[in-house]
Amino acid sequence: MEKRAQFLLALSAAAAAAFVAVVFVLRWVLHFREGLAWDGGPAEFNWHPVLIVIGFVVLQGIAIIVYRLPWTWQCSKLLMKFIHAGLNLLAFILAVISMVAVFDFHNFAKIPNMYSLHSWLGLAVVVLYGLQLVLGVGMYLIPVAPVSWKAAFMPLHVYSGLSLFITVIAVALMGITEKLIFGLSNPKYKDSPPEALFVNVLGVLLVVFGGLILWIATRTSWKRPSDQVLHALHTSAGGEDNTKVGPALSQLSEGNDAESSSDVRRRGNKLGDEAE
Amino acid sequence: MEKRAQFLLALSAAAAAAFVAVVFVLRWVLHFREGLAWDGGPAEFNWHPVLIVIGFVVLQGIAIIVYRLPWTWQCSKLLMKFIHAGLNLLAFILAVISMVAVFDFHNFAKIPNMYSLHSWLGLAVVVLYGLQLVLGVGMYLIPVAPVSWKAAFMPLHVYSGLSLFITVIAVALMGITEKLIFGLSNPKYKDSPPEALFVNVLGVLLVVFGGLILWIATRTSWKRPSDQVLHALHTSAGGEDNTKVGPALSQLSEGNDAESSSDVRRRGNKLGDEAE
């Protein structure tokens, strides 16, 4: 019970941070900036922070912890995988649209593209996120990969997912920094006008949300019960002998979205006919 | 053997990224910028990126994975804890000096302090890092805390340590962004002069280094053998019953620096008289 209460506390805090962050980014562009439009001007640029915060930060964060929600544990793992993949796909689409908005705005205003560290890391993270999505669907939703491949790939899938999420937030913080320096002229960023303080708080909210998602995603005891059993099974094998089970099976303990071996076997046998 | 080779590959890549990053930050301030001095001017500011990269990024990264180095496994856990704490203390001192350099430079040039998101998150991370250091020493080096406290606190210690490391890198990327925008005037950052490209690469190197340290720190099978046994012991207890062992013992699986229960017991009995 105490475990459940702690989980709900962390989840509520994450939800609150996400909600306030979305309100803040909307108020930023609608109240302090030029609003939203698709006209090549600053109002088109404004879709960039809005879609990044809603899609690439909040939706991706939800996608990461969707297996942790206790009221989903009665649903089939396959359904949850579709939800996980669907949320990530939606986040990816919103991220791509948000990038189109920036390129449009830059081209219209004759500002060079892809010169900043923000743009380098941002493009890299979108490309790698797309790759992660394709590999994830290919490995865990299309029933062709051998069970051993699925297990071996899982620690990398989890590590990449969390790393990309962290990097997205870091890139968003750089974007906020850029926009406040370029966007504020009189008074400037260094004069701390209300917009500067307001958007700094948005940055802090993104960090808090990211920290809470990481905490929730890395508590083994908050996993889906079937995944906890798998976790215990593989780690109790322990020591050097892990290599006999398969090089990466022993590392499933790092996996937060590991499918249970029974799930894997069932899907392997039924060839994807698992819509329970 | 394959496990050892994979570890050495990841470690070598991290060492190479760290080495090149240090070379890059030194070349940045010595070749592209005003060099290093302690005179209140831009050359004093330059200590900021240099000390952050060397101390807060590289030394902290080494401190995080110091328990993973196989050639230290014959050393006592206490000695390794002193090295872990010592490296973190050194990183903290260098971070504080690097902040003094910025405040000095700002005050001399009449630039406001603490207005940017970079400064907010940077100060927060230094304060929390200091707190982490004090709590870590108080809990694991001074032999007063009960064993149950040490175990209960370990998941938080590990999570905080990794989160602070990640945040330091994110704040460094924001700092690079700020400095390239403010420091480059003719040509500007957006005109991509050699310095801009060079320092963007420094940012990418910091991300690569961070990613490798995170990978090394979260591979359970690369832990000190005694900690692997503990990991297996606690996770095989599994399920809801973990709460009987102690609320956080079950979460030691997330711990990357967990001390083995025998280590804890020995230190508890010997009251710190463990200098083997």
Side-chain angles (χ1 to χ4, degrees):
Chain A
M1 268 301 96
E2 195 196 351
K3 197 171 83 175
R4 181 78 164 248
Q6 286 175 355
F7 172 79
L8 290 177
L9 184 69
L11 185 69
S12 307
F19 178 76
V20 180
V22 170
V23 170
F24 264 55
V25 75
L26 286 173
R27 183 166 161 81
W28 181 22
V29 302
L30 297 175
H31 173 75
F32 290 106
R33 295 270 123 206
E34 306 80 5
L36 292 167
W38 200 268
D39 56 3
E44 182 169 334
F45 173 90
N46 291 344
W47 281 109
H48 184 63
V50 167
L51 295 181
I52 289 293
V53 170
I54 293 175
F56 226 16
V57 177
V58 174
L59 286 184
Q60 188 186 172
I62 297 170
I64 286 173
I65 59 158
V66 83
Y67 297 107
R68 294 291 178 283
L69 308 174
W71 45 91
T72 70
W73 291 346
Q74 62 196 33
C75 304
S76 77
K77 188 73 187 251
L78 186 65
L79 173 66
M80 295 315 297
K81 286 202 254 178
F82 270 111
I83 294 173
H84 176 73
L87 286 169
N88 277 308
L89 178 63
L90 189 56
F92 178 72
I93 291 168
L94 295 182
V96 170
I97 296 171
S98 88
M99 279 176 58
V100 173
V102 176
F103 279 95
D104 261 11
F105 166 71
H106 279 180
N107 295 341
F108 200 77
K110 300 203 180 348
I111 298 169
N113 288 302
M114 300 303 305
Y115 68 86
S116 69
L117 182 56
H118 168 74
S119 64
W120 288 20
L121 293 176
L123 185 64
V125 93
V126 170
V127 170
L128 291 173
Y129 193 76
L131 187 67
Q132 167 89 342
L133 201 54
V134 170
L135 287 176
V137 168
M139 193 70 79
Y140 300 110
L141 275 179
I142 301 172
V144 287
V147 175
S148 62
W149 288 23
K150 293 178 191 240
F153 181 65
M154 182 49 79
L156 190 63
H157 181 72
V158 171
Y159 167 83
S160 307
L162 293 181
S163 298
L164 287 169
F165 176 66
I166 292 166
T167 311
V168 163
I169 292 179
V171 174
L173 299 177
M174 297 166 74
I176 285 175
T177 298
E178 279 194 9
K179 187 63 186 173
L180 288 178
I181 296 175
F182 292 136
L184 294 170
S185 51
N186 191 19
K188 292 183 173 178
Y189 190 17
K190 70 184 171 76
D191 303 316
S192 294
E195 180 180 345
L197 299 175
F198 187 83
V199 182
N200 281 356
V201 173
L202 170 61
V204 174
L205 286 166
L206 298 183
V207 173
V208 169
F209 176 71
L212 287 164
I213 293 295
L214 270 192
W215 176 258
I216 293 170
T218 54
R219 295 312 91 191
T220 307
S221 62
W222 291 355
K223 282 187 169 187
R224 265 173 87 94
S226 60
D227 295 338
Q228 283 187 41
V229 171
L230 182 73
H231 176 84
L233 267 173
H234 287 303
T235 49
S236 63
E240 298 294 325
D241 285 333
N242 284 338
T243 45
K244 291 176 190 164
V245 188
L249 269 177
S250 62
Q251 297 175 358
L252 269 175
S253 47
E254 291 101 28
N256 67 329
D257 301 328
E259 55 185 346
S260 75
S261 47
S262 63
D263 278 338
V264 173
R265 237 172 275 124
R266 213 182 324 144
R267 284 184 23 75
N269 294 339
K270 287 199 187 175
L271 285 170
D273 188 25
E274 197 210 16
E276 297 159 48
Chain B
M1 268 303 93
E2 194 195 351
K3 197 171 81 174
R4 181 78 164 248
Q6 285 175 355
F7 172 79
L8 291 177
L9 185 68
L11 185 69
S12 308
F19 178 77
V20 181
V22 171
V23 170
F24 264 55
V25 75
L26 286 172
R27 183 167 163 80
W28 182 20
V29 302
L30 297 175
H31 173 75
F32 289 105
R33 295 270 123 206
E34 307 81 4
L36 294 166
W38 200 268
D39 56 2
E44 183 170 335
F45 173 90
N46 291 343
W47 281 109
H48 184 64
V50 167
L51 295 181
I52 289 294
V53 169
I54 293 175
F56 226 17
V57 177
V58 174
L59 286 184
Q60 187 184 173
I62 297 170
I64 286 173
I65 59 157
V66 82
Y67 297 106
R68 294 289 179 283
L69 308 173
W71 45 92
T72 69
W73 290 347
Q74 62 196 32
C75 306
S76 77
K77 188 73 187 250
L78 185 65
L79 173 66
M80 295 316 296
K81 285 202 254 178
F82 270 111
I83 293 173
H84 177 72
L87 286 169
N88 277 308
L89 178 64
L90 189 57
F92 178 71
I93 292 169
L94 294 182
V96 170
I97 296 172
S98 88
M99 279 176 59
V100 173
V102 177
F103 279 95
D104 261 12
F105 167 71
H106 279 179
N107 295 341
F108 200 78
K110 300 204 178 349
I111 299 169
N113 288 303
M114 300 303 306
Y115 68 85
S116 69
L117 182 56
H118 167 75
S119 64
W120 288 20
L121 293 176
L123 185 64
V125 93
V126 170
V127 170
L128 291 173
Y129 192 77
L131 187 67
Q132 167 90 344
L133 201 54
V134 169
L135 288 175
V137 168
M139 194 69 80
Y140 300 109
L141 274 180
I142 301 173
V144 287
V147 175
S148 61
W149 287 22
K150 291 177 193 242
F153 182 65
M154 181 50 78
L156 190 63
H157 180 72
V158 170
Y159 167 82
S160 307
L162 292 181
S163 298
L164 287 169
F165 175 68
I166 291 166
T167 312
V168 163
I169 291 179
V171 174
L173 299 177
M174 297 164 75
I176 286 174
T177 298
E178 279 195 9
K179 187 64 186 173
L180 288 177
I181 295 174
F182 292 135
L184 295 170
S185 51
N186 191 18
K188 291 181 172 180
Y189 191 17
K190 69 185 172 75
D191 303 316
S192 293
E195 181 180 344
L197 299 175
F198 187 82
V199 182
N200 281 356
V201 173
L202 170 61
V204 173
L205 285 166
L206 297 184
V207 173
V208 170
F209 176 70
L212 288 164
I213 293 294
L214 271 191
W215 177 257
I216 294 170
T218 53
R219 295 313 92 192
T220 308
S221 63
W222 290 356
K223 281 187 170 186
R224 266 173 85 94
S226 60
D227 295 338
Q228 283 188 41
V229 171
L230 183 73
H231 176 86
L233 267 173
H234 288 302
T235 49
S236 62
E240 298 293 325
D241 285 334
N242 284 337
T243 45
K244 293 176 191 164
V245 190
L249 270 176
S250 62
Q251 295 177 359
L252 269 173
S253 48
E254 292 102 26
N256 66 329
D257 300 328
E259 55 185 348
S260 73
S261 48
S262 63
D263 278 338
V264 173
R265 239 173 273 125
R266 213 183 322 143
R267 285 185 21 77
N269 295 340
K270 287 199 188 176
L271 286 169
D273 188 26
E274 197 210 16
E276 297 159 46

